Amino acid sequence: MNKKTLSLVLKFLTITSSIVGIIKLIMLPVPFGGAHNLLYFTLQSNIWISICCFVGAILIIMEYASKKQIFKRWMFVCKMIFTICITVTGFVFCCVIAPTMPELVWNFPNVLLHIVVPVLAILDFFIFDTQIIYEKKDWIWVNIPFVYYIIFATIGYVFKWDFGAGLNYPYF
């Protein structure tokens, strides 16, 4: 199996795991389930990586059909950004959240969203997205989603959005 085909499989598995995890998490009973989960970086980063993988999958299929190189450098940089976002999500879940709340977090949607999706995205990144040489300036862009989320969560705090269980902030 060549790298493009393997990447296509990994992208579809990432998308599927993310969609199933998001739907299942939203369907869990409140306070742990519900639409308020869309306010968390976890679900947002799952949505971002899924969109990125969806676009990437379409481009791979188009490359197979046209036999032309379609991917541009900036597309690989975008994938790197969202792969890092989902990796941080997985790392924080495994090293910070799960050890402090093990009885609450080990369920099917959380495993999909915090472990399966990050592992699949990381594998896809190292198999397919290392076709280019990343430059130091590329790494600056990685900060954008995190700065965005700090601003987003701050707005939520100020306007008293319900992040679940009556809390107006996303993380302890």
Side-chain angles (χ1 to χ4, degrees):
M1 183 179 312
N2 68 31
K3 286 184 178 187
K4 279 186 183 179
T5 303
L6 182 55
S7 178
L8 195 58
V9 169
L10 289 169
K11 282 174 175 37
F12 280 121
L13 288 172
T14 301
I15 295 163
T16 303
S17 298
S18 181
I19 290 170
V20 169
I22 289 169
I23 291 169
K24 291 282 190 187
L25 188 64
I26 289 172
M27 290 174 38
L28 283 176
V30 172
F32 304 107
H36 71 270
N37 283 300
L38 291 168
L39 299 174
Y40 283 86
F41 189 78
T42 296
L43 266 64
Q44 292 180 24
S45 62
N46 268 273
I47 292 167
W48 297 333
I49 196 69
S50 294
I51 291 169
C52 197
C53 286
F54 181 74
V55 170
I58 289 171
L59 293 175
I60 288 174
I61 293 167
M62 289 173 60
E63 282 188 356
Y64 274 133
S66 69
K67 298 187 181 8
K68 294 179 184 176
Q69 177 69 26
I70 296 174
F71 276 88
K72 305 293 183 214
R73 186 177 196 296
W74 67 268
M75 296 171 181
F76 290 106
V77 173
C78 283
K79 176 75 180 331
M80 175 198 65
I81 292 166
F82 297 125
T83 300
I84 290 172
C85 288
I86 200 68
T87 301
V88 168
T89 294
F91 181 79
V92 168
F93 175 82
C94 291
C95 297
V96 178
I97 298 172
T100 60
M101 300 182 287
E103 67 284 352
L104 302 176
V105 297
W106 292 111
N107 56 46
F108 182 66
N110 276 330
V111 170
L112 281 177
L113 297 169
H114 295 94
I115 297 171
V116 175
V117 171
V119 167
L120 292 169
I122 292 166
L123 285 172
D124 185 37
F125 178 81
F126 283 112
I127 289 169
F128 185 72
D129 300 321
T130 53
Q131 298 179 43
I132 67 164
I133 296 173
Y134 293 92
E135 300 170 6
K136 288 181 183 179
K137 67 178 180 175
D138 296 333
W139 297 95
I140 294 169
W141 300 110
V142 171
N143 295 301
I144 292 173
F146 298 104
V147 171
Y148 146 78
Y149 193 74
I150 289 169
I151 294 167
F152 177 85
T154 301
I155 292 168
Y157 178 79
V158 169
F159 288 100
K160 299 185 182 343
W161 294 346
D162 183 5
F163 282 85
L167 299 174
N168 64 335
Y169 52 89
Y171 299 100
F172 53 88

